Amino acid sequence: MPSTPPPSNPFSLPPIPSLPSPSGSRPRASIGSTFSFNPSQFMDSYYDANASTFSQRMPSALDPNRSILASSPARSSPNPNPKRKNKLSTGRQTKLGLGGGSRHPLANDTTDVFHDSEDDADDEEESYEWGTVDRMRLWRHDALMQHLYDTAAFWGDKILSWTSDPNDAFWLAQTYFMTHQYARAHRLLTRPFPISPPKKPFGDALTSSKPQATQTGLLFPNAATSTPAQPDVNGKGKSRESIANFLLGPSAGEGQPAGVPRLPVGTAGLVEVPEPLLDNTSRLVDMSLACRYLAAQCMVRSGKWPEAMELIGEANPFRGSAKSGPAIANTDGGIKIEASMCYLRGLLMLKLNRADQAKTCFMEALALDVKCADAFSQLVNAEMLIPDEEWDFIQGLSYSTQTPDDAEFVQLIYTSRLRKDKHRVEHALTRARLVDDFGLGDNPDVLFSFADALYTDFRWAECYAVTSRIIGLTAMHVPTIPLHIACMYHLNHLHSKLFLLAHEMVDREPENALSWYAVGVWYLSSGKWSQARSYLSKTTLMDPRFAPAWAAFGHTFAMEAEHDHAVTAYSTCARIFVGSHLPLLFIGMEQIMLSNFRLADEALGAASALCESDPLLCNERGVMAFNHGDYQKAANLFQEAIDRAQVTQSSQQTWAITYMNLGTCFRKLKKLDEAVKVYNKVLEYDPRHSTALGFLGMVYHMKGELDPAIVKYHEALSVDPINNNILELLNTALETSGSRAGLEIRYAQIRAGLHGKWERGDPQYRSRMAAAAAAERDRRARGGDAMQE
């Protein structure tokens, strides 16, 4: 049954306003001259166009609230239309893998990033007869889905040569991008294309029964009269020559049909457009935000960050317009291209070391579209916001406006990723809702939320059990790996497993910075500071914004008493993790070691403003109060640290130093009985703690109990035999004990010898004995005060 040609339905994209040359001194003679085109100027010309011109254009390609969802393979675009017939033959259906009269959803998908008019929606109801371009588009999409990128590029290039369709050009550029051919993709996106593509591609002429004289030209509407003649299937005669003319340009022979005008290639490979054709051509980046975004991505991957920033602008050009803002929902339910551009702008700000502006861009991207999880990950993983600011910002997003059907779930899943220092009850309820109501009990991100809460409470054993489950589900869950490694570092019996994990990660993913971070932490756990520093340095070179590596790098210097270098590493970490209190805490600890108490107070105060619940921070603040002589405040802070550490599952020996500090404060406050209890608590955790034994001996010495003091001094020296301070205290105690024993013997002899006189009631003897007793009491009192000092 002969097919009936479809009605003419050209792909028509209204022209955009003419754009001035960047120089402003001459008219634009080359499309390449607008390479440095600023999107702010682009949007100004777009929005300031007069009403009549604007009404003739199709603004959807420049709509910031749209996504590229219309180009999804599941939603095919109607243009260009292939031939149609009522039913496909059974053999053809079998060959194409189609059932009934349905059509393969990928066959005519042109990735309509230009959002063509929907005037042809009624035509979708009919069946289609496949043309050459349809079949090749199917090949292209199947090749992309099967990761045969060279195949997709091969057939996509032929499709574009036939159709000159900007949507086909976008697909080809996407293919080049996936194969890391960024320069090629960028050239395709910045070369001129016709504003109105042909009504029917040349490839369909191979199967069309419509006379060639009625088809439009390849590039320009005025080339409709110079289309090639019907090709001869044998490839002979004039028909073969006409195909060559069509592909290679106008024929020199008289009487031959003229080919389509070809754009000459100018200097530096730029395509120059003749002056008469300027109004009918434009670059893809000037016609579609999706193309401009993809071109900027190419520049980013090529390391050309200023050029990428110039393409998308340093500020959101849509901000403040009627079509922009968090309160405006997506027009198609996808992710706003405006939000994606803001996210990319934030990445460029990070590349250019402008962290504050990067944070603003990420916040703007997430506010514009709550579905932009990349922006959320950047804000949360890098801790760009302080805890209170982070909580308020995430809870204040426009979930109900942008995702009315999924608002609650999106808010819960984002809340579960926030820091767990505060709002503990809300976090617990959030995790319970995700598990009970949404069935995500075994989801890696929800499990990570549990692990993060456990690690924040220093419950390393339970945290390790959860992170092990996550690693079993997904071999490399990026947020979980640092927690997993940290738990293995803190739990001594897992150091051997850390060694095996590090080797496995290096073998599996040697290009991943996390792999070498694991190696560095293993050397750190083994006390090999220089080797650990080498691998951690390599990690920071591979990923300069991986803050845990910077912190561990600083630890290697701190362990070797290289405090100045440690402060430098911690300061870099604090600059990257502006919302984290840990780098500031580490800086304060190193400044204490350097006796820079003013700088230590500043660092610890800044850390306390970010997080007050960290027991280690309470301990360091107590140390500073002790150094300032405020022993009562120091004792309160040490007690607070101990109370907060009760929930930890780390070794109790970890907090022995805090008990030691508390006992020392009690000793300074003359609360000797409380000091004895605290020091004995330390000895319960570690019976061979030499410092606790020595301090306990000092307290007994101060109480005048020399025998137990001497015993504790001997026990301390059995553990630490070269402790000079304990040796001096022991000698003092022995001398005091010896002299006191000699005096007691002498007094006993005198009392025995003069007992008779006492009984006889000698008044002179009684007065001398009373004076001697008073002198002895004064001497003992003076000796006790000296010992306390």
Side-chain angles (χ1 to χ4, degrees):
M1 177 178 177
S3 63
T4 303
S8 176
N9 182 24
F11 179 102
S12 60
L13 183 72
I16 64 172
S18 300
L19 303 174
S21 171
S23 62
S25 59
R26 55 183 174 81
R28 184 181 67 176
S30 171
I31 291 295
S33 65
T34 63
F35 179 81
S36 300
F37 182 67
N38 188 287
S40 299
Q41 181 186 11
F42 177 50
M43 293 312 303
D44 291 342
S45 63
Y46 170 71
Y47 286 119
D48 295 340
N50 59 68
S52 60
T53 304
F54 185 84
S55 63
Q56 297 174 4
R57 311 190 186 286
M58 187 176 300
S60 57
L62 303 176
D63 188 353
N65 294 306
R66 279 188 176 268
S67 64
I68 315 179
L69 188 62
S71 64
S72 172
R75 298 177 58 179
S76 61
S77 172
N79 295 307
N81 286 331
K83 299 192 304 177
R84 303 172 188 143
K85 67 178 183 178
N86 293 332
K87 186 187 297 185
L88 291 173
S89 64
T90 304
R92 190 176 182 85
Q93 293 174 4
T94 304
K95 181 179 179 180
L96 295 176
L98 302 176
S102 63
R103 183 168 178 272
H104 195 292
L106 303 180
N108 198 35
D109 179 13
T110 60
T111 306
D112 193 5
V113 296
F114 297 88
H115 306 292
D116 193 14
S117 172
E118 298 179 358
D119 297 338
D120 306 311
D122 296 336
D123 298 334
E124 290 292 321
E125 299 176 0
E126 301 182 24
S127 300
Y128 289 86
E129 181 181 352
W130 290 49
T132 302
V133 172
D134 295 320
R135 290 189 292 271
M136 288 192 176
R137 282 179 177 142
L138 171 62
W139 302 346
R140 179 188 66 192
H141 282 290
D142 279 350
L144 285 174
M145 295 302 102
Q146 298 174 38
H147 308 288
L148 301 175
Y149 298 120
D150 289 340
T151 301
F154 182 84
W155 297 118
D157 175 70
K158 309 308 179 289
I159 295 170
L160 181 61
S161 297
W162 280 333
T163 66
S164 195
D165 189 333
N167 291 295
D168 290 324
F170 178 82
W171 255 129
L172 185 57
Q174 286 279 17
T175 306
Y176 290 151
F177 183 85
M178 294 176 184
T179 54
H180 311 293
Q181 302 181 62
Y182 305 123
R184 196 173 182 182
H186 183 267
R187 175 62 57 84
L188 184 60
L189 294 167
T190 55
R191 56 167 273 200
F193 273 87
I195 292 178
S196 297
K199 296 180 180 180
K200 180 165 289 297
F202 172 69
D204 284 355
L206 299 178
T207 58
S208 173
S209 61
K210 184 177 180 179
Q212 290 289 327
T214 63
Q215 295 187 7
T216 57
L218 178 63
L219 291 177
F220 309 106
N222 59 6
T225 59
S226 59
T227 53
Q230 179 72 21
D232 185 0
V233 293
N234 297 323
K236 299 179 180 179
K238 294 183 179 181
S239 63
R240 183 176 183 180
E241 295 174 0
S242 65
I243 294 178
N245 291 335
F246 184 85
L247 296 176
L248 301 177
S251 175
E254 230 179 89
Q256 298 290 343
V260 178
R262 307 306 299 272
L263 299 177
V265 177
T267 58
L270 297 178
V271 180
E272 297 180 352
V273 179
E275 198 69 43
L277 305 178
L278 284 176
D279 293 336
N280 294 323
T281 58
S282 180
R283 301 183 307 170
L284 297 182
V285 294
D286 298 337
M287 290 193 290
S288 168
L289 292 176
C291 294
R292 181 174 289 269
Y293 173 71
L294 180 58
Q297 288 278 17
C298 294
M299 292 289 95
V300 171
R301 298 302 194 280
S302 301
K304 300 178 180 179
W305 303 327
E307 291 85 347
M309 184 69 76
E310 199 169 1
L311 271 176
I312 63 175
E314 295 192 3
N316 183 9
F318 302 100
R319 188 187 305 157
S321 67
K323 289 191 174 185
S324 176
I328 300 178
N330 305 66
T331 56
D332 53 18
I335 298 177
K336 295 181 183 178
I337 189 67
E338 179 186 7
S340 300
M341 294 180 73
C342 288
Y343 167 73
L344 182 59
R345 189 177 295 112
L347 290 182
L348 289 171
M349 293 294 183
L350 288 181
K351 298 287 187 183
L352 299 173
N353 292 323
R354 295 157 68 176
D356 291 338
Q357 288 137 303
K359 181 183 78 171
T360 302
C361 292
F362 293 139
M363 293 177 67
E364 183 177 12
L366 192 57
L368 288 170
D369 197 327
V370 297
K371 299 182 292 296
C372 187
D374 283 87
F376 173 78
S377 298
Q378 286 289 341
L379 290 171
V380 173
N381 293 344
E383 297 189 13
M384 291 185 169
L385 306 173
I386 63 177
D388 292 335
E389 182 185 10
E390 180 184 77
W391 179 268
D392 295 338
F393 174 69
I394 297 301
Q395 301 306 318
L397 295 174
S398 302
Y399 298 101
S400 58
T401 301
Q402 299 176 18
T403 57
D405 298 329
D406 306 301
E408 184 180 13
F409 171 72
V410 176
Q411 184 174 6
L412 287 173
I413 201 67
Y414 281 174
T415 302
S416 68
R417 287 291 304 276
L418 303 183
R419 275 171 284 183
K420 312 301 188 298
D421 299 324
K422 299 181 179 179
H423 307 284
R424 295 175 181 268
V425 176
E426 291 86 346
H427 279 293
L429 293 175
T430 297
R431 293 191 293 271
R433 289 288 312 280
L434 289 172
V435 173
D436 299 335
D437 298 346
F438 294 95
L440 294 177
D442 216 21
N443 180 265
D445 287 333
V446 176
L447 289 175
F448 170 77
S449 177
F450 280 97
D452 192 23
L454 294 171
Y455 188 84
T456 301
D457 291 337
F458 296 91
R459 301 169 67 177
W460 295 321
E462 292 184 17
C463 180
Y464 174 75
V466 178
T467 56
S468 298
R469 174 63 178 171
I470 298 174
I471 300 302
L473 293 172
T474 60
M476 186 68 74
H477 190 253
V478 175
T480 301
I481 293 296
L483 283 187
H484 191 64
I485 294 173
C487 292
M488 300 175 81
Y489 171 81
H490 289 298
L491 300 173
N492 295 333
H493 66 281
L494 295 177
H495 287 178
S496 59
K497 289 189 176 181
L498 176 58
F499 174 82
L500 297 176
L501 175 67
H503 274 273
E504 179 185 354
M505 292 177 64
V506 170
D507 291 339
R508 187 174 61 235
E509 298 189 30
E511 301 300 324
N512 195 328
L514 286 172
S515 302
W516 300 105
Y517 171 71
V519 176
V521 173
W522 181 81
Y523 277 111
L524 190 66
S525 66
S526 302
K528 301 176 180 178
W529 318 126
S530 59
Q531 293 93 327
R533 189 156 48 244
S534 299
Y535 288 104
L536 293 171
S537 177
K538 180 176 182 177
T539 304
T540 58
L541 289 175
M542 296 176 68
D543 186 0
R545 299 195 61 80
F546 185 45
W550 283 107
F553 187 66
H555 293 342
T556 62
F557 288 114
M559 297 294 185
E560 291 185 326
E562 295 286 346
H563 303 299
D564 291 329
H565 296 301
V567 168
T568 302
Y570 292 144
S571 299
T572 304
C573 185
R575 180 174 57 84
I576 298 174
F577 269 20
V578 295
S580 176
H581 74 286
L582 291 177
L584 297 171
L585 169 60
F586 298 148
I587 291 173
M589 295 170 66
E590 295 304 305
Q591 297 293 358
I592 291 175
M593 299 298 296
L594 293 171
S595 298
N596 296 328
F597 294 148
R598 183 181 63 82
L599 297 177
D601 281 331
E602 293 178 359
L604 295 177
S608 179
L610 296 176
C611 177
E612 297 180 350
S613 60
D614 191 343
L616 181 58
L617 177 59
C618 293
N619 177 80
E620 298 305 315
R621 292 176 60 203
V623 171
M624 285 306 304
F626 186 91
N627 290 332
H628 293 315
D630 192 347
Y631 303 130
Q632 188 59 55
K633 179 181 178 181
N636 294 337
L637 288 170
F638 291 139
Q639 187 63 55
E640 181 182 356
I642 292 171
D643 294 339
R644 294 185 181 278
Q646 293 302 317
V647 297
T648 66
Q649 288 184 338
S650 61
S651 173
Q652 294 295 338
Q653 190 174 358
T654 304
W655 303 103
I657 187 64
T658 305
Y659 281 100
M660 293 290 302
N661 294 337
L662 179 60
T664 303
C665 289
F666 286 150
R667 180 166 57 86
K668 290 290 186 179
L669 294 170
K670 304 299 188 294
K671 298 179 179 179
L672 301 182
D673 292 335
E674 290 85 346
V676 170
K677 293 179 181 178
V678 173
Y679 289 140
N680 283 324
K681 189 74 173 178
V682 177
L683 294 176
E684 290 179 8
Y685 300 143
D686 184 7
R688 293 179 57 81
H689 198 295
S690 61
T691 306
L693 290 169
F695 284 172
L696 185 57
M698 290 178 63
V699 174
Y700 285 133
H701 201 159
M702 292 172 62
K703 294 176 67 175
E705 301 175 8
L706 294 180
D707 290 340
I710 292 172
V711 171
K712 294 302 177 184
Y713 289 150
H714 279 293
E715 291 179 1
L717 290 173
S718 67
V719 179
D720 186 10
I722 60 173
N723 192 321
N724 294 327
N725 294 327
I726 301 298
L727 283 172
E728 292 180 3
L729 290 172
L730 176 60
N731 293 330
T732 302
L734 290 173
E735 292 175 359
T736 304
S737 177
S739 62
R740 184 175 298 178
L743 288 174
E744 289 178 354
I745 294 173
R746 179 62 176 166
Y747 285 137
Q749 292 175 349
I750 294 174
R751 283 194 296 270
L754 299 177
H755 184 67
K757 293 184 178 181
W758 180 270
E759 291 179 347
R760 289 194 299 269
D762 187 350
Q764 187 177 3
Y765 172 75
R766 289 182 178 180
S767 61
R768 284 200 302 267
M769 289 300 296
E776 177 65 18
R777 286 195 300 272
D778 293 342
R779 188 187 65 80
R780 290 186 178 182
R782 288 194 299 272
D785 293 340
M787 177 60 65
Q788 290 180 0
E789 292 296 329

